[in-house]
Amino acid sequence: MQALIAVAIVCIIVGTVVVLDGTIDVPFARSTNTVQEPEQQRLLEIAEQVVMACDEISLIDDSSACEQLCDENMCCFEEGEYSCVDDEHANCAVYAACGVIFDSDTDVI
């Protein structure tokens, strides 16, 4: 279910990019400037890798790829002082599929 949500988020991002003709102001981008096409492409590719690595079926076989991709971005799922959700440099939207690690039905960590 969470993988499906992550795929939906990626589709929303891609749809927004298409509607805005290749230029988008991404709230979680690494800079405050508008993100141009090469950076958008890089972020989209990372999001796709995370979605594939953190898919429930992939986690059954081997969770290490998901854990490795998500390791440095777990602050996106923390609360309080350790949270980086509001940090525009964190790219939390790109790592949305990492949330499956915290799913109580999936024993990843």
Side-chain angles (χ1 to χ4, degrees), residues 28 39 52 54 75 79-80 87 95:
F28 300 112
E39 179 68 2
M52 291 187 328
C54 297
C75 62
E79 294 181 5
D87 183 353
Y95 295 93

Side-chain angles (χ1 to χ4, degrees), residues 61-103:
D61 294 335
D62 182 18
S63 64
S64 63
C66 177
E67 292 171 6
Q68 184 177 14
L69 285 167
C70 298
D71 184 50
E72 293 183 19
N73 298 85
M74 296 313 289
C75 62
C76 295
F77 303 94
E78 298 287 337
E79 294 181 5
E81 69 179 284
Y82 299 109
S83 177
C84 63
V85 172
D86 295 329
D87 183 353
E88 63 185 39
H89 303 288
N91 291 316
C92 288
V94 173
Y95 295 93
C98 295
V100 72
I101 291 174
F102 294 104
D103 184 5

Side-chain angles (χ1 to χ4, degrees), residues 20-39:
L20 295 177
D21 194 31
T23 304
I24 183 171
D25 193 13
V26 179
F28 300 112
R30 295 218 180 266
S31 71
T32 57
N33 300 329
T34 55
V35 179
Q36 298 302 319
E37 194 169 316
E39 179 68 2

Side-chain angles (χ1 to χ4, degrees), residues 1-14 43-44 46-56 59 66 70 77 92-101:
M1 179 67 170
Q2 288 180 332
L4 190 57
I5 292 170
V7 170
I9 291 171
V10 170
C11 290
I12 290 169
I13 293 170
V14 171
L43 293 175
L44 180 59
I46 292 170
E48 290 173 346
Q49 290 173 359
V50 171
V51 168
M52 291 187 328
C54 297
D55 177 74
E56 289 181 24
L59 291 175
C66 177
C70 298
F77 303 94
C92 288
V94 173
Y95 295 93
C98 295
V100 72
I101 291 174

